[in-house]
Amino acid sequence: NPSPALAADLDICPAKANNCVRTVFKSPKGTSKKDAAKTLRDAITAYPQEGQNEIDGGGWKIINDDLDGASGLVSLEFSSSGKGKFAKFFNGGKPFVDDTLLQIVDGSDAANVQVRSQSRVGDSDFGVNAKRVDYLFAGLSAKGWTK
């Protein structure tokens, strides 16, 4: 059962999944959905296109951005460089692609963000999704956000 803090539109990660991360980013008390959307969008666009911490070397793109809309959802696609031994051995030299979803939901006293990042293929992501989510969170944490 998902915890109440995770009860939202985004799916929980499959049981025993080693290629999926699901969490919540909590904005500072009193943050409106509009302000949360701006801060979240700033954190996303600050993510380096060349990747970080040896991940996402193939860049990333926004698939759909409705942070300011009714769904409050942004969908992102991240790609590995495709140069590593895992990509060569397991994926025919093609980049691994991961999907990251962030959705703003109204909390009792602030706007919270549901987060889900998952690899499209494979049993394990070797910590890639956690590194990505942690990087995004670090930009928000500097502005008073918590998990």
Side-chain angles (χ1 to χ4, degrees):
N1 289 345
S3 72
L6 293 179
D9 292 344
L10 299 185
D11 292 335
I12 61 169
C13 292
K16 299 182 183 175
N18 294 316
N19 67 348
C20 184
V21 173
R22 179 80 161 77
T23 191
V24 176
F25 298 159
K26 299 174 184 172
S27 66
K29 196 172 188 172
T31 302
S32 69
K33 182 177 177 182
K34 180 180 177 182
D35 289 342
K38 180 187 180 326
T39 304
L40 182 58
R41 193 173 283 112
D42 289 348
I44 291 167
T45 57
Y47 197 93
Q49 277 295 334
E50 66 277 7
Q52 52 85 25
N53 202 12
E54 300 183 24
I55 66 165
D56 299 330
W60 61 273
K61 60 185 173 182
I62 295 173
I63 301 301
N64 184 42
D65 182 351
D66 191 41
L67 285 176
D68 298 310
S71 74
L73 182 70
V74 64
S75 174
L76 309 168
E77 181 181 278
F78 291 83
S79 296
S80 73
S81 68
K83 298 175 184 172
K85 62 183 174 189
F86 292 110
K88 288 177 183 163
F89 186 71
F90 293 110
N91 210 29
K94 296 177 185 151
F96 287 104
V97 178
D98 298 343
D99 298 301
T100 300
L101 303 172
L102 300 108
Q103 182 177 35
I104 300 174
V105 294
D106 287 324
S108 59
D109 58 3
N112 295 324
V113 176
Q114 304 287 328
V115 181
R116 185 174 194 270
S117 190
Q118 184 172 15
S119 302
R120 289 186 185 171
V121 297
D123 253 354
S124 175
D125 67 1
F126 301 97
V128 168
N129 285 290
K131 287 179 183 179
R132 178 180 310 119
V133 169
D134 288 347
Y135 188 96
L136 290 169
F137 177 70
L140 296 171
S141 177
K143 297 179 191 285
W145 290 53
T146 60
K147 281 189 182 180

